[in-house]
Amino acid sequence: MPTVATIREATRADRDACYDICLRTGASGEDASGVYADPRLLGEVYVGPYLALPEGLGLVAVDDGGIAGYVLATADTRRFEAACEARWWPPLRERYPDPGPNPATPDERVRALVHRPLRAPEEVVRDHPAHLHIDLYPRLQGGGVGRALLERLSAALAEAGAPGVHLGVGRANQRAIGFYRHLGLSTLLGLEDTLYLGRALSP
C-alpha cells in the first residue's frame, strides 16, 4: 500500500529532519551518509538557508514515520544569493575552514562551496529567477508526493511574482532528470556535469 503523506509549510524546527533527508539522498539520489565525515555539511549548504532566511520558503511531506521529503525554494535567486552572502555563509566560514583551490575529499568539496558558493548562470535566472531543491526518502518516491510538493511550491512561487523556476541536477542522476522532465521541466542549459532544467510559472 502506498505511503500516505500530508504536506505542510516547512519551519526552522524541521531543520534536523531535512538535513538527514539531504544526506540520505545526497549521492545522486542514494544514501550519502557513508560519504561525508561531517553528516551536517550537505544540509548546511543545501537546506539550512532556505529554512533560516526570510528569502527562502519550503514545504515538507510528513507520513507516519515523520518528515520524509521536502521542497525548498526562493522566488528570487539573486536576492537569495545576496542574503546568503550577508547572513548565512559568514558564520559557516568560521566553522568550516577553506580547503583551498584543490579540494580532495567530499567534505572538502562541500566546504569549498561554503567559501565560494556557486552562482546560477545569468542565462538561466533571466527568465527563471526562482529556483528549488526537492528530495524524498525512497518510501515516498513514485507515489505522487513529489509531484504534489512541486506543484504546490510552484504555485507559491508564481504568487510571489516569479515568472519561471529552475533547478540544477547532476547529469549522473538520471532518475531525477526523468522525474523532472515528466513534470514538465525542460533543459535550459547543459554544462559538463550539471543540467539546469526549468519551466514557466503561471501567474
Side-chain angles (χ1 to χ4, degrees):
M1 179 178 296
T3 300
V4 177
T6 59
I7 295 173
R8 63 166 174 79
E9 184 175 347
T11 72
R12 293 189 183 193
D14 301 324
R15 183 187 63 181
D16 288 348
C18 290
Y19 274 31
D20 190 66
I21 295 170
C22 184
L23 178 64
R24 295 185 184 280
T25 59
S28 295
E30 301 297 326
D31 190 351
S33 58
V35 175
Y36 295 94
D38 185 337
R40 295 185 62 79
L41 197 50
L42 278 183
E44 297 280 30
V45 172
Y46 295 109
V47 173
Y50 299 91
L51 299 179
L53 301 177
E55 292 81 4
L57 66 157
L59 302 168
V60 292
V62 186
D63 64 9
D64 290 343
I67 295 173
Y70 61 73
V71 59
L72 304 171
T74 183
D76 187 331
T77 293
R78 292 291 184 246
R79 183 181 175 198
F80 184 78
E81 290 169 343
C84 287
E85 190 59 42
R87 304 194 300 277
W88 185 254
W89 301 129
L92 288 184
R93 287 168 182 160
E94 294 183 8
R95 194 181 318 157
Y96 296 107
D98 187 347
N102 299 302
T105 68
D107 285 67
E108 287 181 351
R109 286 190 283 273
V110 179
R111 280 165 41 204
L113 294 176
V114 171
H115 291 268
R116 291 171 292 281
L118 296 175
R119 282 177 56 84
E122 182 59 34
E123 56 263 52
V124 171
V125 301
R126 183 168 48 244
D127 296 323
H128 301 80
H131 77 255
L132 62 83
H133 300 283
I134 182 169
D135 287 305
L136 304 171
Y137 280 145
R139 68 179 189 260
L140 287 191
Q141 295 174 10
V145 176
R147 175 186 288 274
L149 284 168
L150 190 63
E151 294 300 336
R152 284 184 53 173
L153 200 283
S154 294
L157 293 172
E159 186 175 348
V165 62
H166 75 270
L167 56 83
V169 59
R171 287 184 180 271
N173 196 347
Q174 288 298 313
R175 180 173 180 179
I177 292 170
F179 167 70
Y180 298 136
R181 292 196 190 285
H182 182 67
L183 295 184
L185 281 75
S186 58
T187 300
L188 304 176
L189 179 67
L191 302 180
E192 182 178 357
D193 298 322
T194 305
L195 285 179
Y196 286 91
L197 307 176
R199 69 178 187 185
L201 297 174
S202 300

